[in-house]
């Protein structure tokens, strides 16, 4: 039975394991994600790892609302989010799995848009979607579509990045403006209009990371500040490293429209989600080398040095305000913006 991608909808038979499910998989997923590994049709992917390399792996689930937002959609986000998690280890992402949970009644034309976006995002960042799974739940028991992706990449064994490498005196660098993704999603969800458009920063950071590694600067750690924003990532890393962090508020890059929207809505941009940003640590005297390499890349044009690692047995994150005041930064008890990834 041929899929009606223009007017059709997901129904329970698309998750039954029978002919309708095969038509959906072959007519949509396999067609969009086509590659030699996926084409074998097996329930697993057999992958050749370059000799002498280590593996890095991550998994994430995406339940964003709305599914389509300025600057992206759940499909591209499902690729970017997992690719970035793998890249934060310094690895080169190569392969993804994709699991879809579809709600009965979901329009096939919207599913096709999501799958096409996901395929393009994968091609753009040089990864293959090599295995997957599809399930269908009854109408009212889902939210259109949920996607789970797992990512695998290869890593030079000589590269060791992580909170354990962070030392007192390290510089803290972000690759660009914060809060763009969360505010773009919120604006679309609540039908808010601003003079300047709010666009998600959703992007794959693997190529930027490789440029950073090749810069010659000694990278110690990286983290992508997604849910919970920059503040949560800093708090987590301070605790894991055993040191304190001191950041300069005026040094943190924030778009004027994001700052203004946050002020209107009573939100703090430090806690707003990002999907194309990273936080990097390196020796302070090598920060300019790393910044130069980042600013030469399209995803690092607005890179900025925002603070340094200090000795603090309490592992506090302290922000110095433009007036010289000091404010402690910690994780929020709740989530200010639900369903942003």
């Amino acid at each position: 039975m041929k899929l009606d991608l223009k007017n059709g909808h997901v129904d329970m038979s698309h998750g039954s394991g029978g002919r309708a499910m095969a038509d959906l998989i072959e007519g949509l997923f396999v067609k969009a994600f086509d590659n030699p590994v996926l084409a074998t049709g097996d329930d697993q992917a057999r992958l050749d790892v370059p000799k002498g390399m280590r593996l890095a792996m991550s998994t994430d689930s995406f339940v964003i609302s709305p599914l389509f937002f300025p600057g992206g959609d759940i499909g591209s986000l499902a690729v970017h989010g997992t690719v970035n998690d793998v890249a934060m280890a310094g690895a080169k992402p190569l392969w993804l799995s994709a699991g879809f949970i579809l709600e009965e009644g979901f329009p096939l034309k919207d599913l096709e848009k999501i799958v096409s976006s996901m395929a393009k995002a994968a091609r753009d960042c040089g990864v293959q979607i090599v295995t997957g799974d599809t399930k269908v739940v009854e109408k009212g028991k889902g939210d259109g579509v949920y996607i789970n992706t797992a990512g695998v990449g290869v890593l030079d064994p000589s590269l060791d990045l992580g909170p354990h490498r962070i030392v007192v005196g390290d510089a803290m660098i972000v690759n660009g403006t914060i809060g763009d993704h969360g505010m773009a999603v919120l604006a679309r969800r609540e039908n808010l209009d601003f003079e300047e458009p709010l666009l998600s920063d959703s992007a794959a950071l693997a190529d930027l990371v490789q440029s950073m590694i090749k810069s010659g600067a000694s990278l110690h750690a990286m983290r992508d500040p997604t849910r919970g924003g920059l503040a949560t990532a800093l708090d987590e890393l301070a605790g894991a490293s055993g040191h304190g962090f001191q950041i300069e508020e005026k040094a943190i890059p924030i778009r004027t429209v994001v700052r203004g929207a946050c002020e209107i809505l009573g939100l703090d941009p430090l806690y707003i989600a990002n999907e194309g940003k990273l936080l990097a640590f390196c020796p302070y005297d090598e920060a300019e080398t790393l910044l130069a390499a980042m600013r030469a890349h399209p995803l690092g044009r607005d890179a900025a040095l925002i603070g340094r690692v200090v000795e603090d047995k309490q592992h506090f994150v302290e922000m110095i305000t433009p007036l010289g005041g000091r404010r402690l930064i910690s994780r929020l008890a709740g989530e200010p913006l639900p369903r942003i990834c």
Side-chain angles (χ1 to χ4, degrees):
M1 180 174 63
K2 186 177 179 181
L3 284 177
D4 184 355
L5 293 174
K6 183 177 180 180
N7 300 305
H9 294 78
V10 172
D11 61 45
M12 295 304 297
S13 69
H14 287 123
S16 67
R19 171 52 57 190
M21 183 173 180
D23 290 339
L24 179 67
I25 292 172
E26 294 168 10
L28 183 57
F29 298 126
V30 173
K31 184 178 179 181
F33 302 149
D34 185 39
N35 62 74
V37 180
L38 188 64
T40 64
D42 293 325
D43 284 340
Q44 74 291 126
R46 294 179 295 276
L47 308 170
D48 296 321
V49 180
K51 186 176 180 180
M53 302 296 279
R54 297 165 60 205
L55 292 179
M57 181 177 180
S58 182
T59 186
D60 205 347
S61 297
F62 300 85
V63 296
I64 192 167
S65 177
L67 299 174
F68 302 92
F69 49 85
D73 55 58
I74 192 173
S76 58
L77 184 64
V79 172
H80 295 158
T82 297
V83 162
N84 290 347
D85 285 342
V86 172
M88 291 305 100
K92 181 180 180 181
L94 293 178
W95 305 292
L96 290 176
S97 69
F100 292 82
I101 298 177
L102 308 174
E103 185 181 15
E104 181 184 17
F106 189 70
L108 286 175
K109 64 180 180 180
D110 287 345
L111 182 58
E112 183 184 30
K113 286 172 60 178
I114 290 167
V115 171
S116 296
S117 175
M118 196 170 179
K120 182 180 185 303
R123 289 193 301 270
D124 289 347
C125 57
V127 299
Q128 292 181 325
I129 298 173
V130 295
T131 189
D133 182 56
T134 305
K135 294 291 186 295
V136 178
V137 298
E138 293 89 348
K139 191 172 183 64
K141 294 188 177 180
D143 198 5
V145 56
Y146 301 145
I147 302 176
N148 171 272
T149 48
V152 177
V154 291
L155 175 67
D156 187 330
S158 66
L159 190 62
D160 180 27
L161 303 180
H164 63 285
R165 294 284 317 281
I166 297 173
V167 298
V168 172
D170 272 358
M172 287 181 285
I173 295 172
V174 293
N175 67 307
T177 56
I178 65 167
D180 298 330
H181 175 71
M183 294 311 296
V185 171
L186 177 62
R188 173 55 57 88
R189 181 188 301 151
E190 303 299 334
N191 294 315
L192 302 176
D193 291 321
F194 297 91
E195 289 186 8
E196 182 182 343
L198 285 162
L199 295 175
S200 170
D201 62 340
S202 182
L205 298 171
D207 189 60
L208 171 63
V209 168
Q210 292 304 309
S211 296
M212 293 166 65
I213 292 171
K214 294 173 183 177
S215 71
S218 302
L219 275 172
H220 288 169
M222 290 185 291
R223 179 70 58 89
D224 54 335
T226 52
R227 277 185 301 176
L230 181 65
T232 298
L234 288 169
D235 187 71
E236 290 174 349
L237 289 169
S241 69
H243 303 301
F245 295 169
Q246 194 172 82
I247 60 175
E248 296 279 347
E249 183 176 13
K250 63 183 179 182
I252 300 171
I254 305 172
R255 295 189 192 281
T256 301
V257 65
V258 170
R259 190 186 300 277
C262 284
E263 290 176 355
I264 291 170
L265 298 170
L267 299 171
D268 187 335
L270 291 181
Y271 294 93
I272 304 301
N274 311 277
E275 287 294 346
K277 296 298 180 293
L278 63 78
L279 178 66
F281 294 77
C282 73
Y284 207 89
D285 60 0
E286 298 180 28
E288 287 303 321
T289 298
L290 185 58
L291 281 167
M294 295 172 72
R295 289 169 178 164
H297 192 282
L299 295 178
R301 284 192 298 258
D302 298 318
L305 172 63
I306 65 168
R308 67 191 307 157
V309 180
V310 297
E311 189 171 349
D312 182 356
K313 294 181 180 179
Q314 302 299 317
H315 315 152
F316 286 147
V317 179
E318 186 179 55
M319 185 166 72
I320 301 175
T321 70
L323 296 178
R326 294 173 183 262
R327 167 189 163 199
L328 291 182
I329 303 297
S330 62
R331 278 175 267 193
L332 293 179
E335 180 67 57
L337 289 177
R339 306 291 303 280
I340 45 74
C341 67

